[in-house]
Amino acid sequence: MQPILTMENITKRFPGVIANDGVNFDLQAGEIHALVGENGAGKSTLMNVLFGLYQPEEGKIAYKGEELIINEPTQAIKLGIGMVHQHFKLVQPLTVTENIILGSEPTLGIKINKEKALKDVDELSKKYGLIIDPKAKIENITVGMQQRVEILKTLYRGADIIILDEPTAVLTPQEVKELFAILKGLTDQGKSIIFITHKLNEVMEIADRATVMRRGKTIGTVSTKETSPTQLAEMMVGRQVLLRVEKQEAKLGKEVLKVEGVSGNDDRNLQVVDNVSLSIRAGEILGIAGVEGNGQSELIEILTGLRKPTSGDIYLNDKKITGLTAREIKNSHVGYIPEDRHKRGLILDFSISENAILGIHQRKPFAKGMQLNLSEIKKHADNLIEKYDIRTPNREVHARNLSGGNQQKIIIARELEIDPVLIIASQPTRGVDIGAIEFIHKQIIEARDEGKAVLLVSAELQEILSLSDRIAVIYEGEIVDIIDAKEATEEKLGLLMAGVRN
Ligand SMILES: Nc1ncnc2c1ncn2[C@@H]1O[C@H](COP(=O)(O)OP(=O)(O)OP(=O)(O)O)[C@@H](O)[C@H]1O
Ligand SMILES: [Mg+2]
């Protein structure tokens, strides 16, 4: 069958990198085609080329049998190509409906025809099983809902091809299931989907074919019926990847973090953290398992000084830190890997060097009296780039111009390398490739073996299970149980996470 889309020999350069180096890609009508590859391999770039955001220096695009040049996103949209970006582009204070119709509002005279808009959106949402609350404001809905809004937005504009750039990175397992059902429904109605992901089990589950990219080049396209996660992993990184974590028995030291009866509210002033008590010793990893939205984000914000508790106390090495500011807590040698890298972890318009000392620039050796010690800062950045394999032409590149996974690696590198006594890691491997996950897991285990205390929050049960020494399960803001990781199974955790107590 003639593909609906072919991209041939696409080359796109940025200063110092060839992001796409003669890439070939084709899409069949009605298929789900996964695009996989390491961080910085060029996946987002290729899709940005297709969406008209970037102009390739070389190569041809043929769409529905016609060769064409896509100069800008508005043209791509007219052609029937829609894109849901790695970082959503919704307007927070506007409603779901307002966001969906933004830029293509139905009019009545010179006014926006609100009723028609609501009706259209309602019809679309029913037709494709994308259930949303049309009048809710974006800032008040979950990430999973926001994603549905993004998908509806592309459908509203008449998309036949929908590009999803790492759609599952920010979703809970339940939301992933729902998304997959939606995607199946879309292809049943003739839509074609390009799906970028780092999760090979997702590729195997949902995709018809997968194209693997590495360092700007296409390595190959395979049918998922004829491949395996191991083969895909090898195509991605060019070597065998250990999909398991190896670790020694924990050697516990003294208590580093003690949380006593901590409660707290969310932004809407509802209590979401309920009398939480826990403790972590040096050399120990405590994992927090829970369905997202059960208070873990707020608990972490309380522990890092970003949110005030309504009651309870927090001690770090026996010193009370309740109520200290985020800066003061960081200065007590607490490393923090936040779940939202754009909001809290990085300044996108700062260089890698600057981001690598964010929040710690006043420390030795980066500060020399009142001045910055530039040569030390440069050395530090180069070390991190090398050690954490941050794919970049050099340390002066702005964080904005790095691939998603490489942005994440800067934060992890910075926070692990400041010699913390306590590391609070929230979704540390979100958006990073399997090779990098292997590496980050090793670094976290190494930090533990050096006697650091680690608090790990992750939506990936497998990550919690393979890294933690003990696992605390949070449900509706309460720690319902703390179990030894050796006795934990996915089933047992799953039940506790659903609120079933034994
Ligand atoms: N606007 C830009 N300016 C400069 N360099 C860029 C720009 N966009 C991407 N790059 C570079 O192009 C390369 C490919 O990046 P791209 O974002 O396509 O990777 P990716 O495969 O999507 O990775 P990830 O899985 O981490 O999201 C990277 O080296 C990146 O730093
Ligand atoms: Mg990307």
Side-chain angles (χ1 to χ4, degrees):
M1 222 171 53
Q2 185 79 352
I4 183 171
L5 169 83
T6 47
M7 300 180 81
E8 221 182 283
N9 201 25
I10 302 288
T11 295
K12 173 68 200 162
R13 296 189 178 86
F14 292 112
V17 252
I18 308 181
N20 287 168
D21 188 359
V23 174
N24 296 309
F25 179 83
D26 73 81
L27 184 68
Q28 294 290 345
E31 80 166 329
I32 299 182
H33 194 136
L35 187 56
V36 298
E38 289 181 286
N39 296 130
K43 306 177 297 290
S44 295
T45 302
L46 185 70
M47 291 303 112
N48 285 332
V49 164
L50 176 59
F51 195 54
L53 278 163
Y54 295 147
Q55 299 313 310
E57 283 87 37
E58 282 164 53
K60 284 189 211 154
I61 298 179
Y63 179 59
K64 295 185 177 166
E66 210 175 313
E67 200 174 301
L68 41 83
I69 292 169
I70 304 176
N71 285 308
E72 48 181 22
T74 47
Q75 189 190 346
I77 291 166
K78 269 202 202 114
L79 288 165
I81 300 171
M83 180 156 180
V84 178
H85 292 272
Q86 200 161 1
H87 299 102
F88 299 162
K89 299 189 181 293
L90 298 170
V91 188
Q92 295 288 327
L94 294 187
T95 67
V96 165
T97 304
E98 285 163 342
N99 267 281
I100 292 172
I101 63 172
L102 197 69
S104 356
E105 293 88 350
T107 50
L108 191 70
I110 53 164
K111 281 224 221 79
I112 295 176
N113 187 344
K114 273 212 182 121
E115 257 160 49
K116 178 159 173 16
L118 275 171
K119 194 169 140 271
D120 289 351
V121 169
D122 185 53
E123 270 171 17
L124 263 184
S125 109
K126 290 210 177 97
K127 178 166 176 199
Y128 295 104
L130 283 144
I131 308 306
I132 40 121
D133 173 359
K135 290 182 181 160
K137 285 200 172 143
I138 298 298
E139 58 200 11
N140 294 332
I141 62 177
T142 62
V143 177
M145 284 291 161
Q146 295 185 16
Q147 187 170 66
R148 290 183 186 185
V149 175
E150 288 275 16
I151 297 173
L152 275 169
K153 201 171 161 150
T154 66
L155 292 168
Y156 186 76
R157 285 159 180 69
D160 289 322
I161 294 181
I162 302 173
I163 306 163
L164 297 156
D165 195 347
E166 286 190 46
T168 58
V170 291
L171 299 184
T172 64
Q174 181 57 32
E175 286 172 330
V176 171
K177 266 196 205 142
E178 289 162 8
L179 174 70
F180 283 1
I182 290 165
L183 297 186
K184 285 268 184 240
L186 288 167
T187 53
D188 286 345
Q189 308 219 26
K191 309 284 180 194
S192 316
I193 289 165
I194 305 173
F195 177 82
I196 301 180
T197 184
H198 287 293
K199 299 180 186 159
L200 300 179
N201 55 342
E202 293 181 352
V203 175
M204 299 303 289
E205 182 181 340
I206 189 86
D208 300 296
R209 291 191 299 157
T211 290
V212 182
M213 291 182 70
R214 192 195 318 154
R215 295 184 185 253
K217 293 196 166 72
T218 341
I219 300 299
T221 298
V222 288
S223 151
T224 48
K225 285 202 195 77
E226 286 151 22
T227 189
S228 64
T230 326
Q231 189 198 0
L232 284 172
E234 257 191 84
M235 285 171 82
M236 276 172 68
V237 281
R239 64 173 167 91
Q240 282 212 331
V241 185
L242 211 62
L243 297 162
R244 261 177 308 112
V245 183
E246 287 182 4
K247 64 178 205 266
Q248 309 284 317
E249 194 69 20
K251 288 194 194 67
L252 301 183
K254 65 181 181 43
E255 186 177 67
V256 174
L257 178 75
K258 184 158 86 177
V259 178
E260 259 183 6
V262 163
S263 297
N265 296 344
D266 67 4
D267 292 338
R268 286 179 278 179
N269 238 359
L270 302 171
Q271 179 174 323
V272 289
V273 178
D274 187 1
N275 197 22
V276 166
S277 297
L278 50 87
S279 104
I280 312 178
R281 291 165 66 178
E284 182 182 38
I285 300 177
L286 178 76
I288 295 192
V291 176
E292 255 175 293
N294 272 281
Q296 49 276 70
S297 304
E298 288 81 3
L299 174 62
I300 296 300
E301 287 177 359
I302 290 172
L303 298 181
T304 51
L306 292 162
R307 184 178 291 274
K308 297 268 172 276
T310 49
S311 65
D313 273 308
I314 305 158
Y315 300 86
L316 184 70
N317 281 333
D318 296 327
K319 196 181 128 230
K320 194 158 146 179
I321 58 164
T322 328
L324 295 189
T325 63
R327 169 169 297 238
E328 287 164 336
I329 289 179
K330 179 157 237 183
N331 284 340
S332 321
H333 288 268
V334 174
Y336 173 39
I337 300 164
E339 62 180 338
D340 185 339
R341 60 179 167 242
H342 281 181
K343 202 149 94 193
R344 303 223 191 273
L346 291 171
I347 298 183
L348 290 175
D349 288 316
F350 277 15
S351 67
I352 297 176
S353 305
E354 290 164 320
N355 273 296
I357 56 160
L358 209 63
I360 50 170
H361 65 274
Q362 74 287 12
R363 284 189 209 169
K364 277 186 201 161
F366 312 126
K368 206 165 46 182
M370 293 293 284
Q371 299 212 320
L372 287 176
N373 186 343
L374 291 179
S375 70
E376 283 298 329
I377 292 172
K378 286 179 187 163
K379 206 164 89 192
H380 180 64
D382 286 342
N383 279 340
L384 297 192
I385 289 169
E386 152 112 38
K387 181 166 174 193
Y388 288 79
D389 191 21
I390 297 167
R391 303 274 167 90
T392 174
N394 60 63
R395 61 175 179 259
E396 299 313 324
V397 171
H398 285 186
R400 183 181 299 287
N401 292 335
L402 291 179
S403 79
N406 283 302
Q407 292 175 348
Q408 178 73 2
K409 288 194 220 165
I410 298 179
I411 300 174
I412 293 181
R414 178 184 69 214
E415 300 300 317
L416 291 181
E417 298 291 323
I418 57 171
D419 197 22
V421 292
L422 169 67
I423 298 160
I424 297 180
S426 198
Q427 321 294 354
T429 54
R430 194 170 258 182
V432 306
D433 65 53
I434 46 174
I437 289 176
E438 183 188 29
F439 176 76
I440 291 167
H441 283 174
K442 268 197 203 141
Q443 291 305 117
I444 292 177
I445 299 283
E446 226 177 273
R448 157 214 193 237
D449 291 344
E450 282 166 12
K452 287 157 190 169
V454 181
L455 178 63
L456 169 75
V457 180
S458 173
E460 304 282 337
L461 266 192
Q462 219 32 61
E463 180 161 79
I464 293 274
L465 279 166
S466 52
L467 291 181
S468 310
D469 298 304
R470 283 186 304 138
I471 302 172
V473 182
I474 193 167
Y475 177 71
E476 293 189 340
E478 262 183 89
I479 301 291
V480 291
D481 206 352
I482 299 184
I483 50 183
D484 195 309
K486 286 195 209 82
E487 283 148 30
T489 58
E490 271 196 47
E491 293 70 37
K492 194 164 175 182
L493 289 179
L495 284 173
L496 286 167
M497 284 163 62
V500 181
R501 297 185 202 212
N502 32 4

